[in-house]
Amino acid sequence: MSSSNAVVKGEEENLPETSQDLTVFVQNLLEQMQQRFNQMSSTIIGRIDEMGGRIDDLERSISELMEQAGIEAETDA
């Protein structure tokens, strides 16, 4: 078997044989990739939201500490 025709053992039956099979195979592959992309996007957005909440908490804590220390916070003008 040449390297260009190499197939993982046991996957021969999963290979598309006709152009219609190839079309279905590619569509399924694209759908799987889209699902993974959506999952990853949701995970990333969730982590960004969580990080934003932590940053807000940190800013509040710093403001409280500055108030306790009697330091005025600089305001953006």
Side-chain angles (χ1 to χ4, degrees):
M1 186 177 339
S2 70
S3 62
S4 63
N5 293 331
V7 175
V8 176
K9 193 173 189 177
E11 290 190 5
E12 293 89 0
E13 66 276 355
N14 293 335
L15 294 178
E17 295 180 9
T18 66
S19 61
Q20 185 177 5
D21 290 342
L22 182 59
T23 301
V24 171
F25 176 79
V26 170
Q27 286 175 340
N28 288 337
L29 185 61
L30 290 173
E31 286 175 12
Q32 290 173 3
M33 291 173 63
Q34 183 67 42
Q35 290 172 352
R36 289 180 184 160
F37 178 81
N38 289 338
Q39 289 172 344
M40 290 175 59
S41 294
S42 296
T43 300
I44 290 169
I45 290 170
R47 289 180 180 176
I48 289 172
D49 289 343
E50 183 180 328
M51 191 180 306
R54 289 179 178 179
I55 290 171
D56 291 342
D57 291 343
L58 183 59
E59 287 176 341
R60 274 192 294 278
S61 295
I62 290 171
S63 293
E64 290 172 3
L65 288 171
M66 289 174 67
E67 285 178 20
Q68 291 173 2
I71 301 171
E72 287 188 27
E74 294 181 17
T75 57
D76 294 334

